[in-house]
Amino acid sequence: MDRFKAAKEAGFDAVEVLFPYDCAAQEMRDQLVWNSLTFVLMNCPPPNATGGPQGFAAVPGLEDRFRRDFDRALRFAHVLKPRHIHIMAGVADGPEAEATFTENLRWAAARAPGQSLTIEPINRHDKPGYFLHDYDTAARVLDAVAAPNLALQFDAYHAHRITGDVPGTWAAHGHRVAHVQIAGFPGRHEPQGGEIDYPAFFARLDAEAYAGWVSAEYAPAAATAEGLCWLR
């Protein structure tokens, strides 16, 4: 709970809480209000943070589990009021997995028509076997679902590891994006230096009038506050 105040004091106006399920939703909502923070993003489903599966939306045979987890996420979202809920695909592969993912997303978008939902390509180096690991598949699924409340989540770190070309990937898919995340490469530390030209990327977001949030989703090289010179 101390992180809400720490984020505000560090200069942030909004936060993600990827897995809020171990805390009382109302207590977190109170912290958001007291610290004048916007709640941008949470993940669905509730996690197994000890190395188990994270996500079931693309896993054939686990449709009922996905839908129970999604309803639990919606109960938290009713209190926390996140801008977006990121739906995690899980470990799967092949046409049946894509069909399962598409149908689950279609169901979820209809289940929560007033809630923005996102899907995010995640590289298989960091998450071996993750179903949604390329942008063409994401585009195909988004087109198939064709729901106004379902969009792409663009993590520049993952984009670079998947394609090696953040500008080109953004050029092809930026029109689908509702939320952006950033981290350095290699190392997934602070978004400065390294192989991704973030000043150029930010300038492009501004030039294209990107209206969403940009979230810093990285592992600090030392203490968080010590590494925030990139923000200033």
Side-chain angles (χ1 to χ4, degrees):
M1 289 297 174
D2 294 341
R3 294 180 182 184
F4 295 93
K5 182 180 179 182
K8 188 66 177 181
E9 290 177 346
F12 292 96
D13 297 316
V15 295
E16 297 182 359
V17 182
L18 298 184
F19 297 111
Y21 303 99
D22 290 335
C23 300
Q26 188 58 55
E27 289 183 24
M28 285 185 285
R29 182 65 194 167
D30 291 343
Q31 289 293 328
L32 289 163
V33 172
W34 292 338
N35 290 288
S36 301
L37 291 168
T38 297
F39 186 39
V40 177
L41 182 80
M42 57 186 274
N43 283 348
C44 170
N48 182 338
T50 59
Q54 292 189 3
F56 305 98
V59 183
L62 293 182
E63 292 86 351
D64 287 345
R65 176 165 185 175
F66 165 74
R67 295 178 185 197
R68 287 195 304 271
D69 285 344
F70 185 76
D71 280 344
R72 185 183 176 201
L74 288 182
R75 291 195 292 273
F76 272 77
H78 180 72
V79 178
L80 293 172
K81 306 185 187 313
R83 180 73 59 86
H84 310 293
I85 297 176
H86 166 218
I87 296 178
M88 301 189 73
V91 173
D93 213 348
E96 187 180 2
E98 183 169 331
T100 299
F101 193 42
T102 301
E103 186 55 36
N104 276 334
L105 291 170
R106 189 176 286 123
W107 175 88
R111 185 78 164 176
Q115 174 65 60
S116 172
L117 308 174
T118 65
I119 58 173
E120 176 191 12
I122 295 176
N123 77 84
R124 283 186 164 180
H125 175 84
D126 287 8
K127 284 195 181 299
Y130 195 76
F131 170 72
L132 190 61
H133 65 282
D134 71 88
Y135 287 86
D136 290 340
T137 299
R140 191 166 59 245
V141 168
L142 288 170
D143 286 346
V145 176
N149 59 326
L150 179 66
L152 187 66
Q153 183 170 315
F154 186 91
D155 186 312
Y157 165 85
H158 287 301
H160 185 76
R161 188 171 286 278
I162 292 167
T163 72
D165 181 10
V166 171
T169 307
W170 180 267
H173 300 286
H175 64 287
R176 304 177 184 275
V177 173
H179 184 58
V180 170
Q181 293 171 323
I182 56 173
F185 189 95
R188 205 170 187 179
H189 299 311
E190 284 77 0
Q192 58 185 359
E195 297 180 15
I196 302 173
D197 186 346
Y198 276 115
F201 181 57
F202 296 151
R204 182 163 192 166
L205 295 183
D206 288 342
E208 296 181 9
Y210 168 72
W213 289 96
V214 176
S215 289
E217 189 190 45
Y218 64 83
T224 301
E226 293 174 9
L228 289 179
C229 56
W230 69 268
L231 180 63
R232 294 190 292 272

